[in-house]
Coordinates of all heavy atoms in Angstrom, one line a residue:
P1 N -80.9 21.2 12.4 CA -82.4 20.9 12.1 C -83.0 20.3 13.3 O -84.3 20.1 13.5 CB -82.3 19.9 11.0 CG -80.9 19.3 11.1 CD -80.0 20.3 11.6
N2 N -82.2 19.8 14.4 CA -82.8 19.1 15.5 C -83.4 20.1 16.6 O -84.0 19.8 17.6 CB -81.8 18.3 16.2 CG -81.4 17.1 15.4 OD1 -82.2 16.5 14.6 ND2 -80.1 16.7 15.5
I3 N -83.0 21.5 16.4 CA -83.5 22.6 17.3 C -84.7 23.1 16.5 O -84.6 23.6 15.3 CB -82.4 23.7 17.5 CG1 -81.2 22.9 18.2 CG2 -82.9 24.8 18.3 CD1 -80.0 23.6 18.5
K4 N -85.8 23.4 17.2 CA -87.0 24.1 16.7 C -87.2 25.3 17.4 O -87.0 25.4 18.6 CB -88.1 22.9 16.8 CG -88.1 21.8 16.0 CD -89.1 20.8 16.2 CE -89.0 19.6 15.4 NZ -90.2 18.7 15.5
V5 N -87.8 26.3 16.7 CA -88.2 27.6 17.3 C -89.8 27.5 17.6 O -90.6 27.1 16.7 CB -87.9 28.8 16.3 CG1 -88.5 30.0 16.9 CG2 -86.5 28.8 16.0
T6 N -90.1 27.7 18.8 CA -91.5 27.6 19.3 C -92.2 28.9 19.3 O -93.4 29.0 19.1 CB -91.5 27.0 20.7 OG1 -90.8 27.7 21.5 CG2 -91.0 25.5 20.4
Q7 N -91.5 30.0 19.4 CA -92.3 31.3 19.7 C -91.2 32.6 19.5 O -89.9 32.3 19.8 CB -92.8 31.4 21.1 CG -93.7 32.8 21.3 CD -94.4 32.6 22.6 OE1 -95.3 31.8 22.8 NE2 -93.9 33.5 23.7
V8 N -91.7 33.7 19.1 CA -91.0 34.9 18.9 C -91.6 35.9 19.8 O -92.8 36.1 19.7 CB -90.8 35.4 17.5 CG1 -90.0 36.7 17.5 CG2 -90.2 34.3 16.7
T9 N -90.8 36.7 20.6 CA -91.3 37.7 21.6 C -90.5 39.0 21.4 O -89.2 39.0 21.5 CB -91.4 37.2 22.9 OG1 -92.1 36.0 23.0 CG2 -92.0 38.2 23.9
W10 N -91.2 40.1 21.3 CA -90.5 41.5 21.3 C -90.9 42.1 22.8 O -92.0 41.9 23.2 CB -90.9 42.4 20.4 CG -90.2 42.3 19.0 CD1 -90.6 41.7 17.9 CD2 -88.9 43.0 18.8 NE1 -89.6 41.8 17.0 CE2 -88.6 42.6 17.4 CE3 -88.0 43.7 19.4 CZ2 -87.4 43.0 16.7 CZ3 -87.0 44.1 18.6 CH2 -86.5 43.8 17.4
Q11 N -89.7 42.5 23.6 CA -89.9 43.1 24.8 C -89.2 44.4 25.0 O -88.2 44.8 24.0 CB -89.4 42.2 25.9 CG -90.0 40.9 25.8 CD -89.3 39.9 26.9 OE1 -88.1 39.8 26.9 NE2 -90.0 39.0 27.6
K12 N -89.5 45.3 25.9 CA -88.8 46.6 26.1 C -88.3 46.5 27.6 O -89.0 46.3 28.5 CB -89.8 47.8 26.0 CG -89.1 49.0 26.2 CD -90.0 50.3 26.0 CE -89.3 51.6 26.2 NZ -90.2 52.9 26.0
A13 N -87.0 47.0 27.7 CA -86.4 47.0 29.1 C -86.9 48.2 29.8 O -86.6 49.3 29.3 CB -84.9 46.9 29.0
T14 N -87.6 48.1 30.9 CA -88.1 49.2 31.6 C -87.8 49.0 33.2 O -88.3 48.1 33.8 CB -89.6 49.4 31.5 OG1 -89.9 49.4 30.1 CG2 -90.2 50.5 32.2
N15 N -86.9 50.1 33.6 CA -86.5 49.9 35.0 C -86.1 48.6 35.5 O -86.4 48.1 36.6 CB -87.7 50.5 35.8 CG -88.2 52.0 35.6 OD1 -87.3 52.7 35.1 ND2 -89.4 52.2 35.6
G16 N -85.2 48.0 34.7 CA -84.6 46.7 35.1 C -85.5 45.5 34.9 O -85.1 44.3 35.2
S17 N -86.6 45.6 34.3 CA -87.6 44.5 34.0 C -87.9 44.6 32.6 O -87.6 45.4 31.8 CB -88.9 44.6 34.8 OG -89.6 45.9 34.5
K18 N -88.6 43.5 32.1 CA -89.0 43.3 30.7 C -90.5 43.5 30.5 O -91.2 42.8 31.2 CB -88.4 42.0 30.1 CG -87.0 41.8 30.2 CD -86.5 40.5 29.6 CE -85.0 40.3 29.6 NZ -84.6 39.2 28.9
Q19 N -90.9 44.3 29.6 CA -92.4 44.4 29.2 C -92.6 43.9 27.9 O -92.0 44.4 26.8 CB -92.8 45.9 29.4 CG -94.1 46.3 28.9 CD -94.5 47.7 28.8 OE1 -93.6 48.5 29.1 NE2 -95.7 48.0 28.5
N20 N -93.5 42.9 27.8 CA -93.8 42.4 26.4 C -94.6 43.4 25.7 O -95.4 44.1 26.0 CB -94.8 41.1 26.6 CG -94.0 40.0 27.2 OD1 -92.8 39.9 27.1 ND2 -94.7 38.9 27.8
I21 N -94.2 43.4 24.2 CA -94.8 44.2 23.3 C -95.6 43.5 22.4 O -96.8 43.8 22.1 CB -93.7 45.2 22.6 CG1 -93.0 46.0 23.7 CG2 -94.3 46.0 21.5 CD1 -91.8 46.8 23.1
A22 N -94.9 42.5 21.6 CA -95.6 41.8 20.6 C -95.0 40.4 20.6 O -93.9 40.1 20.9 CB -95.4 42.5 19.3
I23 N -96.0 39.4 20.4 CA -95.7 37.9 20.3 C -96.2 37.3 19.1 O -97.4 37.5 18.7 CB -96.2 37.2 21.6 CG1 -95.8 37.9 22.9 CG2 -95.9 35.8 21.6 CD1 -96.6 37.4 24.2
F24 N -95.4 36.3 18.6 CA -95.8 35.6 17.3 C -95.6 34.0 17.8 O -94.5 33.7 18.1 CB -95.0 35.8 16.2 CG -95.3 34.9 15.0 CD1 -96.6 35.1 14.3 CD2 -94.3 33.9 14.7 CE1 -96.7 34.0 13.4 CE2 -94.6 33.1 13.6 CZ -95.8 33.1 12.9
H25 N -96.7 33.3 17.7 CA -96.8 31.9 17.9 C -97.3 31.2 16.5 O -98.2 31.6 16.1 CB -97.6 31.5 19.1 CG -97.5 30.1 19.5 ND1 -98.2 29.1 19.0 CD2 -96.7 29.6 20.5 CE1 -97.9 28.0 19.6 NE2 -97.0 28.2 20.6
P26 N -96.7 30.2 16.2 CA -96.9 29.4 14.9 C -98.5 29.1 14.9 O -99.1 29.2 13.8 CB -96.0 28.2 14.8 CG -95.0 28.7 15.7 CD -95.5 29.4 16.8
S27 N -98.9 28.8 16.0 CA -100.5 28.2 16.0 C -101.3 29.3 16.7 O -102.5 29.4 16.3 CB -100.6 27.0 16.8 OG -100.1 27.2 18.1
M28 N -100.8 30.1 17.4 CA -101.7 31.2 18.2 C -101.8 32.6 17.4 O -102.6 33.3 17.7 CB -101.2 31.5 19.6 CG -101.1 30.3 20.4 SD -102.8 29.5 20.8 CE -103.5 30.8 21.7
G29 N -100.7 32.6 16.5 CA -100.8 33.9 15.6 C -100.1 35.0 16.4 O -99.2 34.9 17.1
V30 N -100.5 36.2 16.0 CA -99.7 37.5 16.6 C -100.6 38.1 17.6 O -101.9 38.2 17.6 CB -99.5 38.5 15.4 CG1 -98.9 39.8 15.8 CG2 -98.7 37.9 14.2
S31 N -99.8 38.7 18.6 CA -100.6 39.3 19.7 C -99.6 40.5 20.1 O -98.4 40.4 20.3 CB -100.7 38.3 20.9 OG -101.2 39.1 22.0
V32 N -100.3 41.8 20.1 CA -99.7 42.9 20.4 C -100.3 43.5 21.7 O -101.6 43.6 21.7 CB -99.8 44.0 19.2 CG1 -99.1 45.3 19.7 CG2 -99.3 43.5 17.9
L33 N -99.5 43.8 22.6 CA -100.1 44.3 23.9 C -100.1 45.7 24.0 O -99.4 46.4 23.3 CB -99.2 43.7 25.1 CG -99.2 42.3 25.4 CD1 -98.7 41.4 24.3 CD2 -98.5 42.0 26.7
P34 N -101.0 46.3 25.0 CA -101.2 47.7 25.0 C -99.8 48.2 25.7 O -99.2 47.6 26.4 CB -102.3 47.8 26.1 CG -103.0 46.5 26.2 CD -102.0 45.5 25.8
P35 N -99.5 49.5 25.4 CA -100.2 50.5 24.6 C -99.8 50.5 23.1 O -99.7 51.6 22.5 CB -99.9 51.8 25.3 CG -98.4 51.6 25.7 CD -98.2 50.0 26.1
Y36 N -99.3 49.3 22.5 CA -98.7 49.2 21.1 C -99.6 48.6 20.2 O -99.3 48.3 19.0 CB -97.4 48.5 21.2 CG -96.4 49.1 22.1 CD1 -96.3 48.6 23.4 CD2 -95.5 50.1 21.6 CE1 -95.2 49.3 24.3 CE2 -94.6 50.8 22.5 CZ -94.5 50.2 23.7 OH -93.5 50.8 24.6
Q37 N -101.0 48.4 20.5 CA -101.8 47.6 19.6 C -101.9 48.2 18.2 O -101.9 47.5 17.3 CB -103.2 47.5 20.2 CG -103.4 46.7 21.5 CD -103.2 47.5 22.7 OE1 -102.8 48.6 22.7 NE2 -103.8 46.9 23.8

């Protein structure tokens, strides 16, 4: 219980790097990045 989750992020591995797809923040809400909106 002393460890808290602050954010969830989905990413796609592309050519050795990570590309954000969708993010969920308890206070900021849901954010989906192009081209997956």
